[in-house]
Structure formats: structure tokens, C-alpha cells
Amino acid sequence: MTRVYNFSAGPSALPTAVLERARDELLDWHGTGMSIMEMSHRSKDYVAIAERAESDLRELLSIPAGYKVLFLQGGASAQFAAIPMNLLRDKTTVAYVNTGIWSKKAIAEAKKYARVQIAASGEPNNFCAIPPRAAWTVDADAAYLHYTSNETIGGVEFQDIPDAGGLPLVSDMSSNILSRPLDVGRFGLVYAGAQKNMGPAGIAVVILREDLIGEPMAATPSILDYRQQADNGSMLNTPPTYPWYLLGLVLEWLKEQGGLAAIEAVNVRKSAKLYAAIDRSPFYSNPVDPACRSRMNVPFRIANTELEKTFLAEARAAGLVNLEGHRSVGGFRASIYNAMPEAGVDSLIGFMGEFERKYG
């Protein structure tokens, strides 16, 4: 079997060591004679797995006291609705920063429950830049301020945590959580689907300040009620047990790499060399403002769009797969999350250079 370099934006590549360990433990987990997939979520063994995952996540992110960690179903998209349902309380307005497609999806869902104020928007610049914080207009009476820390499709990433102006700060971090250290204490709530940078599809993580738990809208389904989920240890119903286990293995792998500061250094090197290869070539281009280019998702184009199918076909033959840009924008996209080894980025850069020599 030959493994390829998988540049998929999600579900994305997992660390090889994690997959190998999961393979070895698949049929008989630690002498129990059964798979994790067959194990009751209420069993002593599984509860220990879940508790270890939470402990490791708290350690990696240095989550301060006074925060709950929830492991939930429905991906980040379910949280688009759960957040206003839980955090609106006696307010009528919520504030959102619009930096691309995933921001738009969160905004559209929030509009079902509250008046959404667009505090800032990158739309005038075709979502290739983030408006400076000084240009934002944030309603001081809003229930919270929401932003998407990394736009997977457009390749725009916040490099710093924005000032929330005294409001609870909420962030969708699905595609860059665990890629760098994070000051969790500056947030009211952080949420992320696992399938991009911390595990397989099927589970999402919500980290929220305890004073924000409670007082959900009356129509909030029990499964979206943060108080009920927190009181039941994220096991109000049967959780996605195997994705939770795999997420835990990814967290252990991250600790083995040296933690988030160490993985950030690798991510900086990977993205810097790929952007440098794009920028020094007249054949390739990236439209994003260098000040907010994503380390995780690198969109790029070639001058002659008629060569796109040839590029993808030859890349696949070279073991470089899932480089297609999102269907809404076209072009190419290399997603280089934590699990993408530096050798994979080097291989892509080498291929791009050879393709330019052949067709440029």
C-alpha cells in the first residue's frame, strides 16, 4: 500500500501514527476483547478514554478554570444555531464579522433567532482581506461578537485575537484550532468541527465560559442546550464514541510533537515555503492579502485556466491528491493542517516547479 499526500480541506488527513495505533487497537482495545466501536459509552473503560481526551485538550490549550469542554454531535454547523439559542438571553441583537463563506453560513443561521449586526465585512474586497479592527462597528448591546478565525475556502485567517469591546467573544475555529497556542481566556466560547485539524468527521468541540451556560431560548432542543450537555458530561445521548476516541489519539500525538508551540513552528515553515513558491512565480498566484493569509488553507491559481485539469491529473499521478479548489471559487487549494508532513509540502512545491517548466 502506498499512502498519498492528502491535501483535502475536510475530512482531512490524520497523522499516520494515529491511524496505525487505531488499526492496532481496532479489534481488541487493551485486552478487553472488543473494539471501541462496540463499547458502551457508560462503561468505566470508555469514560476513562473520554476524560483523558478532555484532560489532554485542556493541557494543550491551557484552558483556564471556569470553562466547560463539550464533545458534541452535528459538527460546527449545529453550533451556528446552538450559539444564539444559548447566548442570546434577554438580548435581541448579535454581532458578526463576515469574512467568507463559513461566516455567511453562521450569519444565516443566527438570523433565524436574532437581529444580526454585521460589524465588519470583507465582501467589498472579495473576501481577500480582513477589515482592520478600527473600522469595525460593534453594537455595544449585542449578546456577543462572532468571527470565523480561518476561512477554509477563501484562505483568510486572523493572525491575532480581535478586541471584543467588552462583549463575549465567540469564534468558529474549525480549521485552525490546535495549530498554534491560543489564549482561551479571552473568549466566551470557542467551537470547532474536528474533521479538519483534530480528528475525524462526526464530532465537534465547544469550549465555553461557565457564566454563559444556562438560560437558553425556550424552544432550544435538549441536545443543543449547553447546560444539559455540561451536566451530563456530553453524554445526554449516545455520543460519537469512535470519533471521540480518535480525537483523543490526535491530542496524544500533538503532545508527542512537543505541543502547540512546536506544531506552530512547523506550520509556519510549511506555509511560508508554499507561499514563497507561489509568489516568486509568474505562473501561480494567490489573491489573499499577505497580512491575513491562512497557514492552513492555501488557495492558488494558474494563469492559463485551461491547464487546471492537466495540473490535477498529473498531481494525482504524483501522489498529491485533493488539490481542487472549492466548487464555489474554483482554482486549487492546498490544505496543510497539522497532520500534513513538511515532506508533503516539499513534494507539492517540487511538482509545481516541474509543472511550470513543462507548461509555463
Side-chain angles (χ1 to χ4, degrees):
M1 181 184 69
T2 301
R3 294 274 295 169
V4 297
Y5 289 121
N6 178 12
F7 293 92
S8 173
S12 61
L14 288 166
T16 301
V18 167
L19 293 173
E20 290 173 340
R21 180 172 168 187
R23 175 201 62 200
D24 293 344
E25 295 180 345
L26 180 61
L27 295 179
D28 181 5
W29 185 82
H30 294 202
T32 59
M34 70 179 98
S35 172
I36 293 287
M37 288 185 279
E38 303 169 303
M39 189 179 291
S40 168
H41 61 293
R42 304 291 184 190
S43 68
K44 180 179 178 181
D45 284 332
Y46 190 80
V47 169
I49 290 169
E51 290 177 347
R52 170 71 184 272
E54 178 176 343
S55 176
D56 285 344
L57 185 64
R58 286 183 176 276
E59 179 183 342
L60 283 163
L61 286 173
S62 300
I63 298 174
Y67 281 78
K68 289 288 187 181
V69 178
L70 306 178
F71 297 86
L72 305 175
Q73 300 178 58
S77 294
Q79 300 312 310
F80 294 164
I83 288 165
M85 282 182 156
N86 283 272
L87 302 192
L88 191 61
R89 298 186 175 185
D90 60 346
K91 304 284 187 177
T92 59
T93 301
V94 292
Y96 280 68
V97 180
N98 181 12
T99 52
I101 290 175
W102 289 107
S103 296
K104 284 185 173 182
K105 288 181 180 290
I107 288 166
E109 200 70 20
K111 284 181 176 178
K112 298 176 181 178
Y113 309 101
R115 184 183 78 84
V116 175
Q117 181 221 9
I118 304 301
S121 177
E123 195 158 11
N125 294 316
N126 200 29
F127 297 117
C128 291
I130 297 173
R133 179 62 182 87
W136 297 10
T137 302
V138 181
D139 188 334
D141 198 42
Y144 57 84
L145 173 63
H146 178 287
Y147 78 104
T148 303
S149 62
N150 183 79
E151 288 284 357
T152 317
I153 294 171
V156 173
E157 182 177 14
F158 281 80
Q159 301 303 320
D160 299 293
I161 300 171
D163 178 11
L167 300 180
L169 185 60
V170 176
S171 184
D172 177 356
M173 294 192 172
S174 294
S175 50
N176 66 349
I177 195 168
L178 300 176
S179 68
R180 61 174 81 191
L182 179 69
D183 185 357
V184 174
R186 291 186 59 183
F187 293 87
L189 186 151
V190 169
Y191 66 105
Q195 71 275 10
K196 298 179 184 297
N197 212 32
M198 63 178 167
I203 191 167
V205 169
V206 175
I207 304 166
L208 71 159
R209 217 169 59 213
E210 290 181 3
D211 65 291
L212 296 176
I213 300 176
E215 301 178 45
M217 295 175 62
T220 303
S222 296
I223 200 153
L224 297 183
D225 183 335
Y226 293 149
R227 167 56 62 199
Q228 292 196 49
Q229 289 286 8
D231 288 348
N232 286 276
S234 303
M235 294 186 185
L236 185 64
N237 67 328
T238 304
T241 55
Y242 200 70
W244 196 339
Y245 153 77
L246 285 171
L247 187 152
L249 296 189
V250 172
L251 298 178
E252 292 182 39
W253 175 82
L254 275 169
K255 290 173 64 176
E256 291 166 0
Q257 307 314 300
L260 300 191
I263 208 71
E264 179 185 29
V266 177
N267 289 330
V268 168
R269 285 200 308 271
K270 290 190 302 186
S271 59
K273 64 173 64 177
L274 181 52
Y275 283 119
I278 293 168
D279 290 343
R280 65 172 172 256
S281 165
F283 191 76
Y284 300 102
S285 63
N286 171 277
V288 178
D289 178 355
C292 55
R293 282 175 166 176
S294 171
R295 296 176 185 173
M296 300 286 98
N297 310 101
V298 182
F300 61 97
R301 292 185 174 275
I302 52 179
N304 184 356
T305 56
E306 293 181 358
L307 288 171
E308 288 184 357
K309 290 184 178 179
T310 304
F311 180 96
L312 292 170
E314 294 192 8
R316 282 193 294 271
L320 309 169
V321 304
N322 292 318
L323 284 164
E324 296 87 349
H326 190 269
R327 60 186 179 277
S328 64
V329 295
F332 309 108
R333 174 178 51 176
S335 294
I336 50 176
Y337 303 122
N338 289 346
M340 173 58 65
E342 196 164 353
V345 176
D346 292 338
S347 293
L348 174 59
I349 292 170
F351 170 79
M352 291 168 65
E354 181 59 30
F355 190 85
E356 181 178 1
R357 283 189 287 274
K358 288 173 64 176
Y359 299 103

